[in-house]
Amino acid sequence: MKKELPKVYEPQEVEGRIYEMWEKNGCFAGHRDPDKKPFTIVMPPPNVTGQLHMGHAMDCTLQDILIRFKRMQGYAALWVPGTDHAGIATQIKVEEELRKKEGLSRHDLGREKFLERVWDWKHQYGNRIVAQQKKMGASCDWDRSRFTMDEGLSKAVRHVFVSLYKKGLIYKGSRIVNWCPHCVTALSDAEVEYQDKPGHLWHLRYPIVGEEGRYVIVATTRPETMLGDTGVAVNPNDERYKDLIGKKCLLPLVNREIPIVADEYVDMEFGTGCVKMTPAHDPNDFEVGLRCNLESIRVLDDHGVVNENGGKYQGLERYEARKAIVADLDALGLLEKIEDHQHNVGTCYRCGTDVEPIISAQWFVKMGPLAEEALRVVRDGETKFVPERFTKTYTNWMENVHDWCISRQLWWGHQIPAWTCSECGHITVSETDPTECEHCHSKHITQEEDVLDTWFSSALWPFSTLGWPDENSEDFKYFYPTDVLVTGYDIIFFWVARMIFSGCAHTGKTPFHTVFIHGLVRDDKGRKMSKSLGNGIDPLEMAEKYGADALRFNLITGNSPGNDMRFYVEKCEAMRNFANKIWNASRFVMMNLTITENQLPDTLEPEDKWILCRLGEVINEVTENMEAYELGVASAKVYDFIWSDYCDWYIELTKARLQGEDEAAKVQAQQVLVYVLTETLKLLHPFMPFITEEIWQALPHQGDFLMLQSWPKADPAWSDVKAKESMEAVMDVIRAIRARRSEMNVPPSKKAALTIVTNEADIFASGEAHLKRLAWCSSVTVQQEDLTDTAGMVCDITHMAKLYMPLAELVDLAKEKARLEKDLGKKQGELKGLEGKLSNPGFLNKAPEHVVAAEKDRAEKLKVLIAKIEEQLSAMN
């Protein structure tokens, strides 16, 4: 067993080596164990095109903290990794490369050859993100890694499609869909982002047929779609237009006669009360068109260009056509007016292009019946959101959900398993590729060109990755339902909602009991990290420079569930300093080590009892916060304990024994130092796995790996509150004297006699050695009676004692008096504020009992301090 750690901690040297050791020894494997409770997390699968960004790093860190914690708690922990084929994103990447390098389009290659290229791309770049996750310390079971288009998952996708189709929950129909002219595909509602943009409201005149000089005036934000108008609608109760219902008006520029119809949908208060109807290009017009039997005429093609139905405007891009149409209407005297108008414009979440509502034949999932159970499991608490406020986001969306458009006009993805017969028109839907039409047995059948929305396969991720639809899969039986889903609030609709309804519909169980939502990682100014702003920070660069542990700890401290966090590079530096602090403390312990076993001694000194009492408190606080997903609070508790209690205090308090002649006392100090350090490394391990494993390996230990050790439990015997308070009273005196000497610039070499006036003489008498060494006292006198002559004395006060030191020759007494007066004023101000709070019925009624009690206790302590300062000032006078 090695006894020494290198002088300097080098994360670059340690982290890769430690990770390799874990991986080689199968430490990440999730084993089915009938004697253990399972704990499963499925990783939100990053895109195969992906490069690890700060959001991934945060996601990865949170999941790894939870899985390491649960593994140490004795669960059969499994973290399933994997990647997503990411239909649109990947296809666009490969198409761009093809165009740039070879000047070809996918159509030049044909479907089969193009898909070969995409698979090549996947093999080349698909594992890049995995290597990066490993650098972050992700303890996934890599042997169980899945890809949304691998054989098992593709089988699950087909199974689900066929089963929903047979239940009448998947249908094909011509409906208005969100269409991206740039990505040239349909999008689901969740893939459209709305932006408030300045625009115009054009008021157009449509002449009434047979009534010279009479017009209806319609207002529109999209004049180019007028080419496809097939009616004008008015409200049946609108007195202004009652006589026009059933008549016709002339569609300008196209010179087509279109009917004036009545429909309750029209708002009499908005605009002129007359609305142009374009059923092929507006979802509301589409519904009115169905009710009023209006024709649907599509005038824009898939690229947002005017098609053959647009007359002389054919071939113009939609916004070019808009300019030409408005100019022509103006020339004909049919443009009534133009108003400025702010409106919500839908844009494609991938490329930011304005989305065009277009009528198109697409495949849809009927959401109404599926949403019911998905809403119930959340309402009944079978699935909980952390923080709870995101429940509302989820339920609002699910209550108002539209049918989900699942077909995409792409080649990369799961091709829809539907074959149309050219003889009888019947559609055969099958899990295996059919050879003939199931209806007329003709061999002339063609598979749908379209593929399924990427989210269709990722909606099945929690169970398809565990071997479903094979109900006999041992992994599925043991590890499903999974436990926690960790994800950002930006994909609650895209992914979380779809996994919940899919899990309920296909497995009869909700896929996880907790959805742990985290916020976005923003830059130090609070802006979203983006390529366009150039403010993205590469997590790998940070890990390379400061160590993955420092980056992980930076991402978790100050982080609260559901809230965005700001990323400060300086904090990585601070966390690296924290790693160095632990390293140096551990080196100090090891340099003073003669013991080879890790166990506590039979007898304990006051400082040992204090640190063990504090250790017990910290174990309970950290465990409690981890269980409540308050990982940021848990990490702060460990940080404070290590930095302040263990390094700054306990190590200092043991030095006298370590450096003394008493061998038994030396061993006793070493035993407590090693024991507390080991338990603390376990608490810190989920947050900073590399450095903790490296140090633990060098300490006396049993077992092979820290990551497989049991999570610490507080021994009730450590809870010696009296011993803890006594030690803290001595520490308060040391702090007070050090602070005072520092204020007065008295060097440690100038020792002074200390007189302690207290009713707790025993406490301070037993701490005499510490006071002499750590408060630089030449002698310590403890007494009950106060001094009668305090001339030339500097007095300090703690909540348990009055401290006198003859430092008059070292300080300016006038300055000292001024300092005391200032301190008195400050304490009196604090007390006044507290008393105001405690006399406020609002605070007393609303605040939790323990908070009120703590504030009362603070007020009492302040009163004691104020009385002592006043006493001191009067003595000086």
Side-chain angles (χ1 to χ4, degrees), residues 63 113 327-328 346 358 398 428 459 571 724 764 788 824 848 874:
Q63 290 171 82
K113 287 266 180 285
D328 289 351
I358 279 179
M398 281 306 253
T428 303
K571 228 172 97 180
K724 179 192 143 191
F764 296 100
T788 47
L824 178 64
S874 88

Side-chain angles (χ1 to χ4, degrees), residues 259-501:
I260 297 169
V261 298
D263 196 278
E264 296 276 353
Y265 157 72
V266 180
D267 179 357
M268 294 190 283
E269 306 299 317
F270 184 75
T272 61
C274 298
V275 184
K276 66 191 253 340
M277 289 287 120
T278 326
H281 291 278
D282 183 282
N284 297 311
D285 297 4
F286 178 77
E287 299 296 336
V288 175
L290 289 177
R291 291 194 289 272
C292 299
N293 210 13
L294 299 177
E295 199 185 344
S296 277
I297 300 173
R298 185 171 157 176
V299 292
L300 293 174
D301 71 8
D302 291 353
H303 298 273
V305 171
V306 177
N307 66 12
E308 67 284 357
N309 295 325
K312 70 169 192 172
Y313 305 101
Q314 183 177 355
L316 288 179
E317 187 277 329
R318 55 185 167 161
Y319 295 129
E320 290 302 314
R322 175 180 293 183
K323 284 179 197 161
I325 287 166
V326 169
D328 289 351
L329 286 167
D330 197 16
L332 292 168
L334 296 174
L335 181 61
E336 173 83 6
K337 61 175 176 178
I338 305 173
E339 289 177 331
D340 288 337
H341 178 66
Q342 278 286 120
H343 61 142
N344 239 354
V345 178
T347 58
C348 171
Y349 84 118
R350 278 271 165 225
C351 68
T353 303
D354 288 359
V355 165
E356 196 61 58
I358 279 179
I359 193 164
S360 175
Q362 300 287 346
W363 290 84
F364 295 88
V365 172
K366 224 179 253 182
M367 284 303 303
L370 293 166
E372 287 169 23
E373 181 66 359
L375 278 164
R376 184 198 66 76
V377 293
V378 171
R379 283 196 187 119
D380 292 356
E382 287 174 33
T383 292
K384 288 186 172 72
F385 281 80
V386 176
E388 211 273 324
R389 67 177 186 272
F390 287 102
T391 308
K392 204 170 179 183
T393 311
Y394 170 86
T395 50
N396 282 353
W397 194 70
M398 281 306 253
E399 281 166 355
N400 301 296
V401 74
H402 296 288
D403 285 0
W404 173 19
C405 173
I406 52 169
S407 42
R408 296 290 178 270
Q409 288 59 54
L410 305 168
W411 288 353
W412 173 242
H414 296 101
Q415 200 170 344
I416 290 176
W419 288 259
T420 305
C421 175
S422 56
E423 306 278 333
C424 72
H426 177 78
I427 295 176
T428 303
V429 168
S430 166
E431 285 190 45
T432 53
D433 292 7
T435 52
E436 58 176 41
C437 169
E438 65 184 358
H439 183 253
C440 74
H441 305 295
S442 158
K443 305 283 183 204
H444 301 124
I445 55 170
T446 320
Q447 189 174 358
E448 272 288 335
E449 286 275 298
D450 292 354
V451 299
L452 288 163
D453 176 7
T454 296
W455 300 100
F456 192 91
S457 48
S458 43
L460 319 178
W461 190 249
F463 43 96
S464 62
T465 50
L466 294 170
W468 187 92
D470 175 4
E471 297 286 347
N472 294 319
S473 154
E474 292 301 326
D475 272 359
F476 176 71
K477 283 196 286 195
Y478 183 76
F479 288 112
Y480 185 83
T482 71
D483 289 86
V484 182
L485 177 83
V486 181
T487 189
Y489 57 65
D490 49 343
I491 56 172
I492 291 176
F493 315 138
F494 284 118
W495 194 43
V496 179
R498 288 171 180 162
M499 280 190 287
I500 294 176
F501 83 68

Side-chain angles (χ1 to χ4, degrees), residues 798-815:
T798 67
H799 75 287
M800 222 185 251
K802 231 180 192 181
L803 319 171
Y804 291 100
M805 288 178 293
L807 290 175
E809 69 273 17
L810 303 175
V811 297
D812 181 329
L813 280 175
K815 268 190 189 168

Side-chain angles (χ1 to χ4, degrees), residues 30 36 43 73 183 256 362 493 511 583 598 610 685 768 779 795 840 844:
K36 286 184 176 183
M43 176 192 286
Q73 273 194 323
C183 298
R256 185 168 65 238
Q362 300 287 346
F493 315 138
W583 187 258
N598 182 359
W610 167 74
H685 177 76
E768 184 180 339
S779 64
C795 179
N840 175 356
L844 295 173

